[in-house]
Amino acid sequence: MSPTLSRRALLKTTAGLATLGTAVYAGARLVSKTGTVAVRHASGQERENGAMSDTVDVAHAELNSDGTVDRKIHTDYHDCFNPEETVIISDATHDSLTDRFDNIRYYLGHRCPNAKCSTPAVTRGAFNNSNLGETVKLVYHGSTATVVPV
């Protein structure tokens, strides 16, 4: 195979992947739901006797219609979070949670004016980067969602 031919093949492959990536991104933006982050919630579950235990609410913040925020921090995590500030799950805190819980979930409650929205699970990064009252777009995948740029 000549060097020219392999460069052409590489360029075609790269161009094809870029086109596919653009199409997927554009499609995600079209099916996403725009709304306001109204709830930020982190929880964990432990495994007991082979089954998952009740959910432990680690941190919960909810935006009220009057603009005030209700925040609740589990007593075991008062040293990790300031109840008056936005909860950010650092690497160290995430490691501490994974040491205690078998399943950790991060949720964003999403209020959409013209669509049916819910409170899907998101990645820790999406959780940390989304603030109460902020407008975001979520692409729903069953009980989970991906945050896409507005």
Side-chain angles (χ1 to χ4, degrees):
M1 180 184 287
S2 73
T4 305
L5 183 58
S6 68
R7 274 186 288 212
R8 284 184 189 152
L10 177 62
L11 288 173
K12 281 184 180 181
T13 301
T14 303
L17 289 174
T19 301
L20 178 62
T22 301
V24 168
Y25 175 77
R29 289 187 57 89
L30 286 174
V31 299
S32 63
K33 296 178 183 177
T34 302
T36 303
V37 175
V39 174
R40 296 178 79 248
H41 182 84
S43 65
Q45 288 182 305
E46 297 169 309
R47 191 169 295 284
E48 293 178 6
N49 299 325
M52 293 306 263
S53 69
D54 291 335
T55 300
V56 174
D57 295 332
V58 174
H60 182 93
E62 187 162 349
L63 181 64
N64 297 313
S65 59
D66 65 0
T68 60
V69 177
D70 291 330
R71 289 184 169 90
K72 296 174 189 159
I73 306 294
H74 190 280
T75 56
D76 291 350
Y77 297 96
H78 281 182
D79 292 342
C80 297
F81 309 118
N82 179 341
E84 299 303 315
E85 296 177 0
T86 298
V87 168
I88 302 296
I89 309 293
S90 67
D91 289 342
T93 301
H94 181 74
D95 290 345
S96 172
L97 292 171
T98 57
D99 286 346
R100 176 175 175 185
F101 299 108
D102 294 306
N103 185 21
I104 304 162
R105 301 282 286 207
Y106 302 104
Y107 299 94
L108 291 180
H110 197 222
R111 287 189 195 141
C112 304
N114 299 317
K116 184 178 177 186
C117 291
S118 63
T119 307
V122 296
T123 65
R124 179 170 59 108
F127 175 86
N128 283 342
N129 291 317
S130 300
N131 296 306
L132 289 175
E134 177 182 21
T135 299
V136 298
K137 286 187 176 196
L138 293 179
V139 177
Y140 285 82
H141 318 281
S143 64
T144 65
T146 303
V147 178
V148 296
V150 176

